Amino acid sequence: MAARTMQAARCPTDELSLTNCAVVSEKDLQSGQHVTVKTTPNHKFVFTVKSHTTVVPGTIAFSLPQRKWAGLSIGQEVEVANYNFDKCKQCIGSMTVEIDFLQKKSTDSSAYDSDKMAAEFIQQFNNQGFSVTQQLVFSFCDKLFGLVIKDIEAMDSSILKGEMPTGKKQKIDVGLMVGNSQVVFEKAETSSLTLVGKAKTKEARQTIINPEWNFEKMGIGGLDREFSDIFRRAFASRVFPPDIVEQMGCKHVKGIMLFGPPGCGKTLMARQIGKMLNAREPKIVNGPEILNKYVGESEANIRKLFADAEDEQKRLGANSGLHIIIFDELDAICKQRGTGASSTGVHDTVVNQLLSKIDGVEQLNNILVIGMTNRPDLIDDALMRPGRFEVKMEIGLPDEKGRVQILTIHTNKMRGFGLLSGDVDIPELAAETKNYSGAELEGLVRAAQSTAMNCHIKATSTVEVDMERAEKLQVSRSDFMGSLNNDIKPAFGTNQEDYASYIMNGIIKWGDPVTSVLDDGELLVQQTKNSDRTPLVSVLLEGPPHSGKTALAAQIAEDSEFPFIKICSPDKMIGHSEISKCQAIKKVFDDAYKSQLSCVVVDDIERLLDYVPIGPRFSNLVLQALLVLLKKPPPKGRKLLIIGTTSRKDILQEMEMLDAFSTTIHIQNISTGEQLVDALELLGSFTEKERASIGHQLKGKRVWIGIKKLLMFIEMSLQMAQDYRVTKFLTLLRDEGSGRACYE
């Protein structure tokens, strides 16, 4: 028909509005025709028409979405003309449609199948014209949806001719819907609609990983492997395209538990995870801050942490961004339920509240909760199961490669400004700092800086800085080495003062028995280092009192050069109850498990057990604890050497403790006059003439004396006048033992 003027009207029924057609009188146009509606000289829109008896001739009725799209008002005069589609160029190949609930109050959380939706759409609107930006209403599963046409691609004309497709894609503004057109639904940006199926777009995804993120920039060193494991478990599903994750039925990890020794980077790593992700600023909470003396306040504090995530999930559904909540010192609020002595049971209710928020009936899927603790054994078991804190990662002491990274990070700024001397060798420092945590390595750098700065301070009546020399300030290798030896000691390392007192007189190699013990000890050290089959090696040094067992154990431990050496001695547990003694012994072993190579000396075992022959009496609690710990293999990748000492092998045999040790080495007393003279010569206390006299007196006689007792006798004799020293020494030997002669 020729162009004619018609008057815009309101669509007579809701049912006709859903057809997406402009409705006309049967006298004006026939159903199925396509027309252009010119609203202004520069604006015209394509519609498919439907005739209906209720429409007044000379008018053309539009639904509300159509009037919004075309900018039409009721009663407006428009120019209407026929429109013919070019079937070779304007058939719709694929069309992208933005979809949302028509009314916000009718939203629901049901998943709508986009494949069924596309089939229904093509059936409802077959042979209709569509334009880019067009708005319409679509009814599906008794729900009304508002649609906006986002993009139209023409069908390949070669397909229409029955030829092989060329693969060319042509964008068009207006197209005709046909039976084999494809419709792809795209959820509106702010919509809470959930779509499933293949007929939906792969939404433009911004990677959740910040592209500028790197370990050194963020100040994390030595945790590459741990971070790689965390990423694999916790973030891989969030990086992958959502539709693939959905098709796999994969749920995101919602909780990570970081545990390990203090100062190894748990808090630092948790904070940097927030910076690494393109997510909101993480909420960081110290465990004790949650607790409140008023009933219900602690639980309310937990609810406040999750309020933003809950609100956003209700509004945006799967489109919600990631909310990160970090709990430092988690063990303060999440202790095992039922263990608290408090009458209020506040810890229990806090744990219950946290459980319900992470993985309860109304669980959230847009959260990542990171918990940190030094004491994972205190955490309630329910929090540690899959679905809650399911990724458990030990942040342990850094290895040598990690220590190089950490020291490099903390010296980068000095190096950049030329304040680090050229003689500072980071790999050398890393090799020297076995068992240092990240915090201790940072402390070492600070101590070296302080040492270097101290050299440029004038020590006068006032504190002044020598500015001339300060401008040439450089932190040198000697500053680091001085701090290493004097200032910073590793908490899980070797405290030399701890065992130096046991070998302050050195090891007196008075004969083959001593050399043999040290050789056997060296073999056990090498076995611990090199054997993968025996990560736990234990040896018992047994022998008479004063025979030097503790000194030999301390010497074997020192010669091992293991990064962790600890002596578990009764003198540090005086006055302890049985339970506190068990806990102290367990702590020594727990600390040892944190190091790659460890040596624990369990000294004077019968004293640790509170053994006395009267009765006899001993602590069964400590005995059972020791039996368990002596047999317990260290964690994978860790190796432990245990050296025990005892003067009562017979008692340990009765207690079935000997079987807990891998091997037993007997420590002998000095048993011949020749051995005693050799010991005197090594000690160098008597003159050669005096030693000859003592040797003559003891020649051919049997001697039985421990090296510690011998040292005591020598020192007592040396207090006498020169002429009486030998006589006094021999008298002491003869009288020792309350009737039991030291030599015969």
Side-chain angles (χ1 to χ4, degrees):
M1 74 170 186
R4 56 180 288 189
T5 301
M6 299 180 78
Q7 200 172 53
R10 185 180 286 110
C11 193
T13 66
D14 290 342
E15 193 177 338
L16 286 170
S17 295
L18 293 174
T19 62
N20 190 38
C21 291
V23 188
V24 294
S25 169
E26 293 174 333
K27 295 176 182 177
D28 292 329
L29 293 163
Q30 296 300 310
S31 291
Q33 284 185 264
H34 311 293
V35 296
T36 58
V37 176
K38 195 171 186 179
T39 56
T40 67
N42 298 320
H43 293 91
K44 61 181 179 181
F45 303 87
V46 175
F47 289 97
T48 301
V49 297
K50 187 176 186 70
S51 60
H52 199 268
T53 55
T54 58
V55 179
V56 178
T59 62
I60 181 166
F62 299 97
S63 66
L64 179 61
Q66 289 171 328
R67 296 201 303 274
K68 273 188 180 179
W69 170 53
L72 289 161
S73 56
I74 304 298
Q76 180 181 344
E77 289 191 344
V78 292
E79 190 177 291
V80 180
N82 266 343
Y83 182 85
N84 294 311
F85 281 97
D86 183 342
K87 295 287 181 77
C88 289
K89 295 180 180 177
Q90 287 187 291
C91 286
I92 296 174
S94 68
M95 183 168 77
T96 304
V97 182
E98 185 178 273
I99 184 168
D100 194 5
F101 292 107
L102 185 64
Q103 295 176 319
K104 294 297 179 188
K105 64 181 181 183
S106 66
T107 60
D108 64 31
S109 57
S110 303
Y112 290 91
D113 190 326
S114 57
D115 300 320
K116 290 180 181 177
M117 200 177 272
E120 181 76 18
F121 185 93
I122 293 167
Q123 190 174 342
Q124 279 189 35
F125 304 122
N126 192 23
N127 211 35
Q128 279 195 30
F130 288 93
S131 306
V132 175
T133 72
Q134 183 175 344
Q135 297 177 26
L136 64 146
V137 178
F138 173 51
S139 174
F140 180 74
C141 291
D142 297 326
K143 280 276 184 186
L144 294 180
F145 297 92
L147 308 184
V148 179
I149 309 302
K150 301 291 287 182
D151 182 71
I152 300 175
E153 284 181 3
M155 192 173 286
D156 192 337
S157 58
S158 56
I159 295 175
L160 298 170
K161 297 171 187 173
E163 300 170 2
M164 288 294 289
T166 60
K168 291 180 181 177
K169 292 183 179 179
Q170 180 79 32
K171 299 271 188 184
I172 53 176
D173 293 325
V174 183
L176 183 69
M177 177 67 64
V178 292
N180 56 348
S181 298
Q182 288 185 330
V183 179
V184 177
F185 289 98
E186 180 180 280
K187 191 165 54 174
E189 190 175 342
T190 58
S191 174
S192 59
L193 175 66
T194 304
L195 290 177
V196 295
K198 296 178 181 176
K200 59 174 185 168
T201 55
K202 293 178 171 64
E203 297 152 8
R205 293 180 303 107
Q206 180 185 18
T207 175
I208 67 163
I209 304 299
N210 189 330
E212 296 178 1
W213 187 86
N214 66 64
F215 278 107
E216 292 198 4
K217 185 178 175 184
M218 292 300 180
I220 299 178
L223 298 174
D224 303 49
R225 182 188 59 79
E226 289 84 351
F227 191 84
S228 173
D229 287 348
I230 288 175
F231 185 88
R232 175 178 60 83
R233 292 292 313 281
F235 301 127
S237 64
R238 297 183 189 272
V239 173
F240 236 69
D243 53 327
I244 297 177
V245 174
E246 190 180 277
Q247 288 165 21
M248 291 177 72
C250 178
K251 284 185 179 178
H252 297 309
V253 164
K254 289 180 283 188
I256 302 173
M257 176 70 71
L258 305 178
F259 65 93
C264 287
K266 298 184 295 297
T267 306
L268 176 65
M269 179 179 258
R271 287 177 186 273
Q272 303 309 353
I273 283 173
K275 293 180 183 177
M276 179 206 74
L277 300 173
N278 283 328
R280 288 157 188 74
E281 188 70 24
K283 293 180 181 177
I284 300 172
V285 190
N286 288 319
E289 291 175 1
I290 292 290
L291 301 177
N292 193 298
K293 65 179 178 180
Y294 296 109
V295 174
E297 282 297 309
S298 301
E299 297 88 315
N301 289 339
I302 292 283
R303 288 195 292 275
K304 284 174 193 171
L305 292 173
F306 291 88
D308 292 343
E310 279 184 320
D311 179 57
E312 191 169 315
Q313 180 156 300
K314 282 176 185 172
R315 285 188 295 107
L316 304 180
N319 280 354
S320 171
L322 181 63
H323 292 253
I324 299 174
I325 302 168
I326 297 172
F327 284 96
D328 205 357
E329 306 301 339
L330 186 67
D331 52 279
I333 59 169
C334 291
K335 291 186 173 68
Q336 290 277 359
R337 285 171 291 179
T339 58
S342 166
S343 59
T344 61
V346 65
H347 282 93
D348 292 3
T349 53
V350 168
V351 174
N352 293 340
Q353 184 69 77
L354 193 57
L355 288 172
S356 66
K357 285 296 174 191
I358 298 175
D359 191 32
V361 176
E362 295 182 3
Q363 61 182 8
L364 298 168
N365 202 36
N366 59 344
I367 55 165
L368 179 63
V369 183
I370 303 173
M372 292 167 290
T373 179
N374 303 327
R375 298 290 307 276
D377 52 305
L378 296 180
I379 306 292
D380 191 89
D381 293 339
L383 276 168
M384 307 299 275
R385 73 155 176 78
R388 288 155 186 176
F389 289 103
E390 67 178 273
V391 177
K392 293 173 276 293
M393 181 59 59
E394 181 177 7
I395 309 298
L397 297 167
D399 58 12
E400 195 162 322
K401 180 185 171 189
R403 294 195 293 274
V404 169
Q405 287 181 359
I406 294 166
L407 288 166
T408 302
I409 287 165
H410 292 304
T411 55
N412 262 344
K413 204 163 191 177
M414 286 193 292
R415 190 179 292 105
F417 287 99
L419 297 174
L420 193 67
S421 174
D423 64 353
V424 176
D425 183 9
I426 297 295
E428 180 197 12
L429 286 174
E432 291 290 326
T433 50
K434 290 183 176 71
N435 275 30
Y436 276 65
S437 69
E440 286 159 350
L441 291 170
E442 187 182 358
L444 174 65
V445 174
R446 277 201 304 270
Q449 291 166 339
S450 302
T451 306
M453 288 188 282
N454 193 54
C455 299
H456 298 78
I457 296 174
K458 292 178 182 176
T460 58
S461 55
T462 58
V463 178
E464 296 176 19
V465 177
D466 187 344
M467 292 307 295
E468 289 182 14
R469 293 179 62 197
E471 289 177 3
K472 300 174 184 175
L473 171 69
Q474 278 203 323
V475 182
S476 67
R477 177 182 180 275
S478 59
D479 296 325
F480 276 99
M481 289 303 174
S483 301
L484 196 62
N485 295 325
N486 303 315
D487 297 328
I488 308 294
K489 299 290 182 186
F492 299 97
T494 302
N495 186 355
Q496 215 157 0
E497 293 82 16
D498 197 22
Y499 58 79
S501 59
Y502 295 112
I503 45 177
M504 59 185 178
N505 296 309
I507 298 296
I508 313 302
K509 297 182 181 178
W510 48 261
D512 289 341
V514 178
T515 310
S516 173
V517 170
L518 292 173
D519 289 346
D520 287 347
E522 173 61 21
L523 286 174
L524 292 167
V525 167
Q526 293 305 320
Q527 179 185 344
T528 309
K529 280 183 182 176
N530 303 323
S531 173
D532 292 326
R533 292 185 176 181
T534 53
L536 174 66
V537 176
S538 55
V539 57
L540 179 67
L541 305 185
E542 61 82 17
H546 312 302
S547 55
K549 299 180 294 299
T550 304
L552 285 166
Q555 187 65 49
I556 292 168
E558 186 181 37
D559 290 347
S560 72
E561 296 184 349
F562 283 4
F564 180 93
I565 299 172
K566 200 85 166 181
I567 295 184
C568 181
S569 176
D571 59 9
K572 295 173 186 169
M573 300 182 197
I574 295 171
H576 281 215
S577 67
E578 283 187 293
I579 291 174
S580 61
K581 191 180 282 191
C582 289
Q583 289 171 340
I585 295 169
K586 185 176 183 296
K587 186 179 186 306
V588 170
F589 280 83
D590 285 344
D591 290 351
Y593 297 146
K594 293 180 173 76
S595 173
Q596 300 291 324
L597 273 173
S598 305
C599 178
V600 173
V601 177
V602 185
D603 189 32
D604 214 352
I605 292 175
E606 62 271 19
R607 291 287 75 77
L608 276 175
L609 296 173
D610 298 329
Y611 169 78
V612 287
I614 302 166
R617 291 179 56 188
F618 68 94
S619 168
N620 187 49
L621 206 62
V622 178
L623 171 64
Q624 298 306 324
L626 273 175
L627 286 172
V628 170
L629 293 168
L630 288 170
K631 293 178 181 178
K632 181 183 176 184
K636 190 176 180 181
R638 315 284 165 85
K639 296 184 175 183
L640 175 62
L641 172 63
I642 303 170
I643 306 173
T645 71
T646 182
S647 302
R648 297 299 304 267
K649 179 185 175 184
D650 55 327
I651 298 303
L652 298 194
Q653 177 77 59
E654 284 185 40
M655 294 178 178
E656 298 182 352
M657 188 179 271
L658 285 188
D659 295 335
F661 288 93
S662 311
T663 185
T664 304
I665 297 176
H666 178 65
I667 310 297
Q668 291 186 25
N669 272 345
I670 294 172
S671 57
T672 66
E674 288 76 12
Q675 288 174 344
L676 192 145
V677 172
D678 288 343
L680 293 177
E681 188 176 346
L682 289 167
L683 289 164
S685 302
F686 290 112
T687 64
E688 192 174 340
K689 184 178 177 183
E690 287 170 331
R691 289 200 301 275
S693 174
I694 293 169
H696 178 71
Q697 293 283 339
L698 299 177
K699 190 174 182 181
K701 294 191 176 179
R702 184 173 175 274
V703 177
W704 189 252
I705 187 169
I707 189 72
K708 281 170 72 177
K709 185 72 78 173
L710 177 62
L711 282 167
M712 183 61 67
F713 288 174
I714 291 169
E715 293 305 312
M716 288 172 69
S717 304
L718 292 177
Q719 309 312 309
M720 302 290 291
Q722 183 80 33
D723 295 341
Y724 299 101
R725 297 198 315 197
V726 172
T727 306
K728 181 64 177 175
F729 177 72
L730 292 169
T731 303
L732 287 169
L733 274 179
R734 190 176 294 113
D735 294 345
E736 169 60 21
S738 299
R740 182 174 63 93
C742 274
Y743 72 90
E744 298 168 355

